[in-house]
Amino acid sequence: MVRDLLGQVDHEGRPSFPYPGCVWGVSVSVQPCPWPEPSPLVAEAIQVMYRGRREMPLPVRVRDELGELFADEQFVAAFGTEGRPGWSPGRLALITVLQRVENLTDRRAAEAVRTDLSWKYALGLELDDPGFDASVLSEFRSRVIAHGLEERVLDLLLETLQARGLVKAGGKQRTDATHVISAVRDLNRVELAGECVRAALEALAAAAPGWVEQVLEVPDWADRYRARVDSWRLPASKAKQEQLARAYGADGYALCAALYAPFSPAWLRELPAVQALRVMLIQNFVRTVDARGREVVERRRSLREGGTGLPPGRHRLASPYDPDTRWSAKADVFWNGYKVHISETCATSRSGEDGDASSPPNLITNVATTDATVADMAMTASIHQGLQRRDLLPAEHYVDSGYATAELIVSARDLYGLALVAPVRFDSSPQARAATGYGRAAFTIDWTAKQATCPQGQTSISWTPTIQRGLDTIVVRFSAKTCTPCPARTACTSSTSGRRQITLRHTQAQQQALDAARTQQSSQDWQHKYKIRAGVEGTIRQAVAITGIRRARYRGLRKVHLEHVISATALNLTRLDAWWNGHPLDRTRTSHLARLDQTLAV
């Protein structure tokens, strides 16, 4: 189905068939300037509309309390100095945040700019301002991502709040993560193979129709890949599914061979869909030669099935349309997508719960987004770095056990000067679990001599650094000659080898930190103090209810991270608005029925 065009080049070595070059976008320029003051007509109309009501709309309160929150100068790097004038990027940033507060689409957000008086007031627009086309918002987000400004809106808000004393370094913060479902369809391995080939063909047909027409037998390819692979049922037979998968693999290899032939433009190989196709072929297929010398395309099998092995989940492509999304599982949740880690301040009242209405609201200080396979403990240091960059490191950081190891507890203390408060695993030895006999704490450790002494006075014979469950550890062993005749052997070990061994952390500081954490978390005072961490679950609940944070709107890790940063900024404004209006602990939207019940009660 692939035509042989090798050698079809002109006298200068260029392909003889036409293909389009790069399409240059329209240049947009921005001249930074201060936001206009709210129009007197708009301000007067709002005063009339809300006369006698205590609460003003959130956009009005944000403009009155925080002023020009996002200055144009902070986003000017994403725009040129020549070309047609663009809309104010600072005001587009505020529109994007307000859009998330109201959970609006781009089209409805652009309509709100034209028709909502509270939005006009916040943006400093005249009453008859026509606004802009909805596509401007998408272009703004793309420019923000292209220039690495994803976290700028949250940074600017926190800087403003720091200047007003509403958030500061020190104190207490807490962090937790939740799953995020990607904005692509779930595909099994057969569907993924076929859809990668189809996506590459679609991209090539759009970018270089002349190349496709002259290189491929278009009718044959169109018959098989005209519709999405997941839009029709796969064969019920496993044998037929296997045959179909091998056919997809053969087509993919044939397409790649044509793309990497000397007569094909090199830029076609750089298309994202083509790169996704190459990754899929490497991860899911292998080419072998049969007894007759013919090349055979076979699916990769796991080692358990006697195959050559499959890549680990953290590297395995899940969709040709979002190369960053990954499959993962946690407890009873199995999803394809990402994880978002949310950190927020947390004040405590006398009862040990979240602070009352007199204290500033709990505010989100950091948001981190990863693919779904990244472990929580891999993000602890990154979260601390983000808080340090904003000068918002807490004195105490409350997290669950997934974020804490002995190494992380020590590094948080030494590098950032904070206490990482989290439950750690207790000693899992049989003696410790049974609370009888000699647990690890009964042994004396001489770190300088690299030797341990048991309660009976016997010393160890080996000190071996190793790796267990991905952690650097030290295994200390005692001699069987001393352990076997020992009168306390039954209280010390039940090993068939007759000798005792203990496992230590890699350094003395890590082991001491682990021992101290185990001792502290057994006390009621520590358990009462740790209750404050549970409040972050309410923050995740609010993020889901208001911004729908568990379902990604965009594709790609950077776009999803921008979405999460905007959501965090929107939640902060929502909390500030509630605090300004005297009900800071209201973290969920009130239903119409509940509002009616409250009105009748009054």
Side-chain angles (χ1 to χ4, degrees):
M1 291 190 295
V2 179
R3 295 175 179 171
D4 184 9
L5 291 183
L6 187 61
Q8 294 193 20
V9 295
D10 60 18
H11 66 283
E12 295 182 359
R14 295 175 301 191
S16 59
F17 52 86
Y19 59 90
C22 297
V23 178
W24 297 98
V26 179
S27 177
V28 178
S29 64
V30 168
Q31 298 297 329
C33 60
W35 292 13
E37 290 297 321
S39 168
L41 289 177
V42 174
E44 182 179 358
I46 289 177
Q47 290 296 330
V48 172
M49 291 171 60
Y50 293 93
R51 183 176 298 163
R53 293 180 56 181
R54 186 181 65 169
E55 299 182 9
M56 284 288 185
L58 183 146
V60 175
R61 294 303 297 264
V62 169
R63 182 59 191 264
D64 288 344
E65 297 286 346
L66 303 179
E68 183 182 348
L69 185 56
F70 306 126
D72 289 349
E73 289 84 355
Q74 299 297 328
F75 300 90
V76 72
F79 297 84
T81 57
E82 298 180 354
R84 61 178 177 84
W87 232 73
S88 164
R91 286 190 277 182
L92 286 175
L94 180 59
I95 292 169
T96 303
V97 174
L98 295 178
Q99 173 186 4
R100 193 53 46 84
V101 171
E102 299 295 333
N103 200 16
L104 303 177
T105 63
D106 286 354
R107 193 175 299 277
R108 291 187 61 190
E111 185 66 20
V113 172
R114 286 189 290 269
T115 61
D116 194 314
L117 291 180
S118 64
W119 285 45
K120 287 182 178 291
Y121 182 92
L123 299 169
L125 299 178
E126 295 294 334
L127 189 62
D128 59 349
D129 192 288
F132 51 81
D133 186 79
S135 62
V136 172
L137 291 173
S138 176
E139 180 183 356
F140 171 72
R141 292 192 299 267
S142 298
R143 288 180 177 273
V144 166
I145 292 172
H147 291 80
L149 302 176
E150 294 95 332
E151 300 196 5
R152 185 58 54 88
V153 290
L154 183 59
D155 290 343
L156 293 174
L157 175 60
L158 292 174
E159 288 176 8
T160 302
L161 298 179
Q162 280 179 291
R164 287 164 169 76
L166 296 178
V167 64
K168 57 185 178 181
K172 301 178 180 180
Q173 293 189 31
R174 55 197 176 195
T175 297
D176 202 4
T178 188
H179 64 277
V180 179
I181 300 173
S182 63
V184 294
R185 296 186 182 186
D186 296 340
L187 303 172
N188 59 39
R189 287 183 61 198
V190 177
E191 292 172 335
L192 175 64
E195 194 59 28
C196 281
V197 177
R198 199 190 77 86
L201 287 171
E202 285 291 303
L204 291 169
W211 181 90
V212 172
E213 182 180 354
Q214 296 194 33
V215 175
L216 305 180
E217 296 288 349
V218 176
D220 295 339
W221 290 86
D223 286 343
R224 176 171 290 178
Y225 299 103
R226 187 180 306 277
R228 289 183 63 103
V229 174
D230 59 351
S231 63
W232 49 275
R233 290 186 179 182
L234 292 176
S237 168
K238 293 293 184 181
K240 290 184 177 180
Q241 288 186 17
E242 184 73 17
Q243 182 181 3
L244 182 60
R246 289 199 299 266
Y248 287 148
D251 287 349
Y253 280 118
L255 186 57
C256 284
L259 286 166
Y260 281 82
F263 56 77
S264 297
W267 63 269
L268 289 179
R269 307 163 195 168
E270 304 302 322
L271 293 176
V274 173
Q275 294 298 316
L277 173 62
R278 293 183 62 247
V279 171
M280 184 278 298
L281 291 173
I282 293 172
Q283 292 183 348
N284 291 276
F285 295 94
V286 59
R287 287 185 289 186
T288 59
V289 178
D290 62 10
R292 298 182 180 181
R294 298 175 301 181
E295 183 180 84
V296 179
V297 176
E298 298 287 347
R299 295 178 71 191
R300 287 189 182 272
R301 305 290 180 185
S302 65
L303 296 176
R304 186 181 304 173
E305 297 172 324
T308 57
L310 294 168
R314 63 182 178 275
H315 298 307
R316 197 177 303 171
L317 186 73
S319 170
Y321 305 110
D322 188 349
D324 296 329
T325 185
R326 294 291 183 269
W327 283 101
S328 186
K330 184 177 182 180
D332 57 345
V333 180
F334 185 60
W335 80 100
N336 178 22
Y338 303 90
K339 287 170 68 175
V340 57
H341 304 259
I342 301 176
S343 303
E344 68 169 355
T345 61
C346 52
T348 52
S349 61
R350 294 180 181 178
S351 63
E353 304 297 335
D354 283 351
D356 53 26
S358 61
S359 60
N362 296 330
L363 297 170
I364 297 174
T365 54
N366 191 78
V367 177
T369 308
T370 68
D371 70 67
T373 63
V374 177
D376 291 349
M377 69 176 63
M379 293 304 298
T380 304
S382 177
I383 292 170
H384 290 159
Q385 291 170 6
L387 293 172
Q388 185 183 49
R389 179 178 62 83
R390 296 187 174 100
D391 194 23
L392 288 175
L393 280 172
E396 296 180 348
H397 189 188
Y398 291 79
V399 295
D400 62 27
S401 59
Y403 289 93
T405 63
E407 180 181 2
L408 291 172
I409 292 174
V410 172
S411 63
R413 180 192 64 200
D414 296 344
L415 297 179
Y416 304 104
L418 61 86
L420 189 63
V421 183
V424 297
R425 292 183 178 179
F426 285 102
D427 187 354
S428 60
S429 65
Q431 296 80 8
R433 291 197 302 267
T436 59
Y438 299 144
R440 196 217 56 77
F443 291 75
T444 302
I445 310 299
D446 187 341
W447 290 88
T448 303
K450 296 184 177 180
Q451 198 171 59
T453 303
C454 75
Q456 296 295 314
Q458 301 295 330
T459 57
S460 60
I461 62 170
S462 67
W463 180 283
T464 308
T466 186
I467 297 178
Q468 295 182 351
R469 300 187 184 95
L471 299 175
D472 292 328
T473 59
I474 296 172
V475 175
V476 181
R477 292 184 176 88
F478 289 80
S479 172
K481 293 181 180 181
T482 58
C483 289
T484 300
C486 180
R489 187 173 69 87
T490 56
C492 186
T493 181
S494 59
S495 171
T496 56
S497 65
R499 65 179 183 175
R500 177 66 187 269
Q501 74 175 32
I502 59 176
T503 302
L504 306 174
R505 289 299 177 264
H506 186 59
T507 65
Q508 181 179 3
Q510 292 178 16
Q511 187 61 52
Q512 290 176 345
L514 182 61
D515 293 341
R518 286 171 174 172
T519 302
Q520 292 172 2
Q521 71 187 38
S522 300
S523 67
Q524 290 188 351
D525 289 341
W526 186 94
Q527 294 172 9
H528 181 70
K529 182 177 73 170
Y530 186 69
K531 288 180 180 179
I532 195 173
R533 193 215 69 88
V536 74
E537 302 290 347
T539 297
I540 293 177
R541 173 66 182 88
Q542 184 187 29
V544 173
I546 294 180
T547 68
I549 203 169
R550 281 204 179 118
R551 287 193 175 272
R553 290 172 170 82
Y554 313 118
R555 301 171 183 172
L557 181 60
R558 295 184 65 182
K559 289 183 179 180
V560 174
H561 179 56
L562 173 62
E563 174 188 349
H564 293 161
V565 171
I566 294 172
S567 296
T569 308
L571 290 177
N572 279 345
L573 292 184
T574 301
R575 292 182 173 188
L576 287 168
D577 180 60
W579 182 62
W580 289 327
N581 290 312
H583 43 88
L585 300 183
D586 181 10
R587 296 189 176 179
T588 58
R589 288 178 170 174
T590 304
S591 66
H592 294 290
L593 182 60
R595 290 176 182 173
L596 178 61
D597 179 63
Q598 294 171 2
T599 303
L600 295 176
V602 174

